[in-house]
Amino acid sequence: MKSLKGKKILILGGTAPCVHVTRFAKEMGAYVYVADEKTEKGPAKQVADEAVVISTNDHEALLAFVREHHIDGILTGPGEFNIVNAMTVSKMAGLPFYCNKEQWDICQDKRHFKDFCKQYGLPGVPEYSVDDVLTDKDFPVIVKPVDGCSSRGINICHNQEEYAAAQKAALAASKAGKILVEKYINNGGITIDAKYVVVDGRFHLEAIGDRHVLNGGLITAISFYPSKYRGAFMEQVDPYVAKAFKAIGLMNGAFFFQAIPDGDKIYIYEMGLRVSGGMIYNMTEATSGNNTLKMLIHYGATGTMCEEEDEKMIDAAFNGKVASTMAFPLRIGKIAKVTGFDEVSQYPGVIDLTRYYSEGDEILPKHVNTLDQLFARIMVSSLNMDDLMNILKRIREKVSVKNINGEEMIIWDTFDEIYDGFVTNRK
């Protein structure tokens, strides 16, 4: 990818999710400003060349700054609020941005997205109308807000009482005041994560993995790449992707699908027109060599995603390698002691370790079944599954998060079941 030396980039948001985009932009040679309304320097502002005190929602003030400082591109992290702000100010300033508001709304609103899938042949999860009267045989169902994120307002219902409560929770989490009701597919807690990158109208599946949901919950405990469903996904979903997104004019950028296998069928239940918060760009760079976040930075500053040689590196098979992202979901309680994380970050194969909490922080009931329940994520790659599982087992044995009573807060059930099954199958 060509150097961005001489380019000026404005990043909206000084918090931790914007650190990677700030650091990458600087590494690529750009001069980087980071803006938000806070006078103190957040993590991304500390990395930036210059920190700017302007609200990310003050579009006119940002536009004035862009013009005064001759900014070449406006970017942000994975947060949806600032993606819309960056998109808006980019349009006002006549600067490149990978998508527009119409495309964003189709993909962001779950109702619009389900209708989009039906129109272009993408397989969506069977659903019920909110006006339908559900009977006992219809359960379980899953209820979600049409415009929610981070798993907020989403609940699985097994009976009428849970269904009534779930509707209220979903409505409370929806700015639009609308909800979806879908068939709940009980397949043991496996979902599919599929990442795409788009270069001049060419749609590439760059990563696809299997996510194992926390037992009894909705958030991912651990994921493995490449997915064992990659072949089925390429047959049932991929043939419709280019036609669907070209129809709405998407020619460059990145997006992801979340899907669920049900027997021999695959259903898409959600998408995001952005890079995900899971930082899979670090995984793809370590395995196949491409980094989508760097491509989006390049696009924001120049209007082009990458060079031909960069595009050729995209490989959802990871060049034969395997990888995993292990999360650390916590039980409710106050964090008193954290051990092992600094050491495991140096283990061979570890690509990235991101922590969200420190000693003294507290996991509350409202955090359960949302991404706020996660203490950290660690990303690992290896040449084969045996080595990968050995590394994950070492991490499992080393790290610990204790509460004020000295009890372990990390919920290991899902990993332990997967590891035991892996060992059994190897015998």
Side-chain angles (χ1 to χ4, degrees):
M1 207 171 299
K2 288 183 177 179
S3 169
L4 297 181
K5 187 175 181 179
K7 298 291 185 180
K8 295 181 179 181
I9 289 176
L10 174 63
I11 293 172
L12 304 188
T15 57
C18 289
V19 168
H20 274 153
V21 66
T22 305
R23 183 177 293 127
F24 288 163
K26 287 186 64 177
E27 290 173 357
M28 294 167 72
Y31 190 88
V32 182
Y33 302 88
V34 172
D36 63 21
E37 73 282 3
K38 298 176 182 178
T39 54
E40 67 271 21
K41 289 189 175 182
K45 281 189 170 181
Q46 293 178 37
V47 178
D49 292 300
E50 284 190 41
V52 180
V53 182
I54 303 176
S55 169
T56 60
N57 198 35
D58 190 341
H59 300 159
E60 292 296 337
L62 289 169
L63 178 62
F65 182 89
V66 165
R67 288 173 173 168
E68 179 183 352
H69 292 81
H70 306 288
I71 300 297
D72 296 290
I74 305 169
L75 300 163
T76 188
E80 294 162 356
F81 176 75
N82 278 333
I83 289 176
V84 174
N85 288 330
M87 182 193 313
T88 301
V89 181
S90 294
K91 182 177 180 180
M92 293 167 66
L95 295 175
F97 201 81
Y98 68 91
C99 69
N100 59 43
K101 189 63 165 55
E102 292 74 23
Q103 295 162 343
W104 176 262
D105 287 344
I106 289 171
C107 300
Q108 178 67 12
D109 184 285
K110 293 179 176 64
R111 174 73 271 154
H112 291 166
F113 178 61
K114 287 189 75 72
D115 294 340
F116 173 74
C117 287
K118 290 177 183 177
Q119 183 176 358
Y120 292 102
L122 294 165
V125 178
E127 66 176 315
Y128 301 92
S129 167
V130 292
D131 297 323
D132 290 341
V133 177
L134 301 188
T135 64
D136 290 346
K137 67 180 179 62
D138 295 319
F139 293 104
V141 298
I142 187 166
V143 182
K144 60 185 74 172
V146 297
D147 50 358
C149 62
S150 300
S151 300
R152 293 182 177 89
I154 300 177
N155 287 284
I156 301 165
C157 314
H158 299 87
N159 54 52
Q160 296 288 355
E161 184 178 356
E162 292 178 356
Y163 181 49
Q167 290 182 79
K168 292 180 181 178
L171 284 169
S174 172
K175 292 180 180 179
K178 297 179 181 179
I179 65 175
L180 285 177
V181 182
E182 296 176 335
K183 174 186 177 183
Y184 176 66
I185 297 170
N186 189 357
N187 64 1
I190 298 176
T191 60
I192 298 169
D193 178 43
K195 314 289 188 187
Y196 275 84
V197 59
V198 192
V199 182
D200 293 335
R202 296 181 292 276
F203 290 73
H204 304 281
L205 180 67
E206 64 165 347
I208 181 167
D210 298 329
R211 307 189 313 169
H212 296 262
V213 177
L214 179 67
N215 288 347
L218 294 170
I219 57 173
T220 302
I222 190 166
S223 58
F224 295 94
Y225 295 77
S227 168
K228 64 182 179 182
Y229 299 100
R230 185 164 65 96
F233 186 92
M234 295 302 293
E235 290 178 2
Q236 297 179 36
V237 180
D238 188 73
Y240 304 96
V241 170
K243 179 181 178 181
F245 287 93
K246 282 184 178 179
I248 62 172
L250 188 71
M251 298 300 290
N252 290 282
F255 59 88
F256 62 87
F257 290 130
Q258 293 176 354
I260 188 164
D262 183 20
D264 60 354
K265 301 290 185 181
I266 292 177
Y267 298 114
I268 299 169
Y269 64 88
E270 196 167 313
M271 77 160 292
L273 188 50
R274 56 180 175 83
V275 294
S276 68
M279 299 175 289
I280 299 299
Y281 46 79
N282 287 329
M283 183 184 290
T284 57
E285 186 165 36
T287 54
S288 52
N290 70 290
N291 184 314
T292 298
L293 182 54
K294 290 181 179 178
M295 290 182 178
L296 291 178
I297 293 168
H298 195 271
Y299 186 84
T302 69
T304 61
M305 289 286 285
C306 61
E307 302 301 306
E308 183 178 354
E309 56 267 26
D310 300 310
E311 188 177 0
K312 287 180 178 178
M313 287 191 290
I314 300 168
D315 180 16
F318 282 7
N319 288 326
K321 298 176 185 177
V322 293
S324 175
T325 295
M326 175 188 277
F328 300 91
L330 300 184
R331 294 179 175 86
I332 295 169
K334 189 171 185 178
I335 299 170
K337 187 177 182 181
V338 177
T339 58
F341 284 89
D342 290 340
E343 184 171 339
V344 300
S345 69
Q346 304 303 312
Y347 282 5
V350 172
I351 301 166
D352 182 80
L353 171 60
T354 302
R355 279 179 55 169
Y356 307 111
Y357 292 109
S358 301
E359 292 173 357
D361 292 332
E362 191 169 4
I363 304 301
L364 302 172
K366 67 179 182 179
H367 296 145
V368 174
N369 277 331
T370 76
L371 297 184
D372 293 332
Q373 190 179 356
L374 301 182
F375 176 80
R377 280 193 181 103
I378 191 166
M379 190 177 291
V380 183
S381 69
S382 189
L383 295 176
N384 57 67
M385 278 300 296
D386 286 327
D387 289 344
L388 181 67
M389 293 300 288
N390 286 336
I391 296 170
L392 296 175
K393 182 64 171 177
R394 288 179 62 199
I395 293 169
R396 185 310 186 205
E397 293 170 347
K398 189 66 180 179
V399 302
S400 176
V401 178
K402 297 288 182 65
N403 66 16
I404 56 177
N405 297 319
E407 300 164 330
E408 184 60 55
M409 293 181 69
I410 302 176
I411 304 171
W412 289 114
D413 301 14
T414 302
F415 173 76
D416 289 346
E417 289 180 10
I418 291 170
Y419 183 81
D420 290 346
F422 177 80
V423 171
T424 300
N425 290 334
R426 281 292 186 268
K427 291 179 180 178

